[in-house]
């Protein structure tokens, strides 16, 4: 009975998607962006949630959001099929979608880049996007994968000379110190999967690139005026297991701090 209970719990942790919400206070947030909500998705790893991602898209469609940020590893080096990722993107096309690549994109020769562009996704590899609502704007910045050392935040910041809020998308959390130096207001990342296996009161057992009991594993981290959110992701890598750590979608709502 204990074995059955354990297997049932592991199955639940792999297949039951959580909805995680954050509210981030930002200085000088334009009035038009008060309540602006970003749907943050990451680390699908070619995982399927029903035919054409039916279950995942149904969950997403029950949420309210204004834009979508996808922070890499839509595919997996051991399962490089693109259909699960493209099905997800097709289900999101009513809103602007921003994407930065992860290590698994590069480990599969970045074959998914052209299909994403064909579906209208804004790919931000060391680039920025001026996001307008009315006469106001914020900056959406994106860097190539920090885990592989491909990030060039200075290029993404080129010509960003005003003090308007900046939202930075990156695949891995080791971008954090650079983001703090650049005064980014919000950083959205994935890569860690929350460790996949987490222990109560301890956190992640291991995360790629950080070793045992990593510091930057999951959740919200703050330094000065910079907030970083590490999303636990939708898929798994290496082993198809999660413990105390459900797959998730994240909704981040911006509010003014002044």
């Amino acid at each position: 009975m204990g074995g059955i209970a354990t297997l049932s719990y592991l199955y639940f942790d792999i297949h039951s998607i959580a909805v995680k919400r954050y509210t981030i206070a930002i200085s000088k947030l334009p009035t038009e962006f008060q309540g602006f909500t970003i749907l943050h998705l990451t680390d699908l790893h070619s995982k399927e949630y029903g035919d054409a991602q039916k279950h995942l898209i149904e969950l997403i469609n029950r949420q309210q959001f204004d834009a979508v940020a996808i922070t890499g590893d839509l595919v997996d080096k051991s399962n490089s099929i693109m259909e699960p990722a493209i099905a997800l993107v097709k289900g999101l096309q009513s809103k602007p979608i921003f994407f930065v690549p992860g290590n698994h994109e590069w480990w599969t020769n970045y074959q998914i880049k052209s299909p994403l562009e064909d579906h209208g996704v804004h790919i931000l590899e060391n680039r920025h996007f001026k996001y307008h609502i009315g006469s106001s704007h914020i900056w959406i910045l994106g860097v190539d994968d920090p885990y592989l050392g491909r990030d060039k935040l200075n290029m993404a910041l080129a010509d960003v000379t005003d003090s308007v809020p900046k939202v930075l998308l990156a695949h891995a959390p080791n971008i954090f110190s650079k983001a703090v130096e650049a005064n980014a207001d919000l950083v959205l990342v994935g890569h860690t999967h929350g460790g996949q296996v987490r222990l109560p009161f301890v956190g992640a057992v291991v995360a790629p690139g950080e070793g045992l009991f990593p510091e930057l594993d999951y959740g919200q981290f703050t330094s000065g005026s910079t907030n970083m959110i590490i999303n636990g992701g939708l898929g798994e890598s290496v082993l198809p297991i999660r413990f105390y750590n459900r797959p998730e979608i994240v909704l981040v709502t911006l509010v003014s701090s002044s």
Side-chain angles (χ1 to χ4, degrees):
M1 291 296 292
I4 293 172
T6 299
L7 289 173
S8 298
Y9 180 76
L10 291 175
Y11 182 89
F12 174 79
D13 263 9
I14 289 177
H15 295 284
S16 177
I17 307 168
V19 179
K20 181 76 172 181
R21 302 177 189 275
Y22 297 88
T23 300
I24 300 296
I26 293 179
S27 176
K28 299 181 181 178
L29 184 72
T31 302
E32 291 88 343
F33 284 87
Q34 179 75 18
F36 185 83
T37 298
I38 302 168
L39 170 68
H40 179 208
L41 308 174
T42 195
D43 296 274
L44 181 69
H45 285 276
S46 300
K47 187 172 179 179
E48 297 179 89
Y49 289 93
D51 292 339
Q53 301 291 17
K54 176 184 176 182
H55 303 311
L56 175 55
I57 291 169
E58 285 179 349
L59 175 63
I60 288 171
N61 285 340
R62 292 197 293 269
Q63 317 306 318
Q64 298 292 321
F65 56 93
D66 301 286
V68 182
I70 304 176
T71 54
D73 284 5
L74 280 174
V75 295
D76 190 277
K77 69 177 181 179
S78 64
N79 181 14
S80 59
I81 60 170
M82 294 185 283
E83 287 79 6
I86 298 305
L88 174 58
V89 167
K90 285 181 178 178
L92 298 170
Q93 284 184 299
S94 63
K95 301 291 171 64
I97 305 171
F98 301 91
F99 174 81
V100 292
N103 48 302
H104 283 260
E105 271 76 40
W106 288 110
W107 289 344
T108 53
N109 299 316
Y110 207 170
Q111 298 176 65
I112 200 169
K113 182 176 182 177
S114 291
L116 290 177
E117 290 175 326
D118 291 343
H119 285 87
V121 175
H122 302 282
I123 297 180
L124 300 180
E125 295 170 37
N126 303 316
R127 296 175 55 199
H128 60 256
F129 183 93
K130 195 174 187 178
Y131 195 111
H132 282 275
I133 296 180
S135 59
S136 297
H137 70 275
I138 62 172
W139 294 103
I140 308 292
L141 313 174
V143 292
D144 204 341
D145 182 25
Y147 179 68
L148 296 179
R150 302 181 65 96
D151 57 297
K152 294 180 173 60
L153 183 53
N154 60 323
M155 289 178 58
L157 285 165
D159 302 320
V160 177
T161 56
D162 55 28
S163 60
V164 171
K166 298 183 285 290
V167 176
L168 173 62
L169 312 182
H171 178 59
N174 53 309
I175 194 69
F176 191 38
S177 60
K178 295 178 183 178
V180 172
E181 290 178 11
N183 295 313
D185 296 276
L186 173 63
V187 188
L188 301 178
V189 302
H191 184 64
T192 69
H193 306 177
Q196 288 191 197
V197 174
R198 298 182 64 80
L199 300 178
F201 310 111
V202 174
V205 175
V206 65
E210 296 186 71
L212 290 172
F213 305 110
E215 177 185 0
L216 300 176
D217 59 345
Y218 173 76
Q220 183 174 347
F221 297 83
T222 302
S223 179
S225 61
T226 301
N227 283 281
M228 180 172 72
I229 293 170
I230 304 176
N231 183 329
L234 286 162
E236 296 79 45
S237 184
V238 183
L239 294 174
I241 187 172
R242 282 179 178 260
F243 182 80
Y244 204 62
N245 177 21
R246 292 163 61 192
E248 68 179 14
I249 65 173
V250 167
L251 294 161
V252 185
T253 299
L254 311 183
V255 297
S256 176
S257 64
S258 57

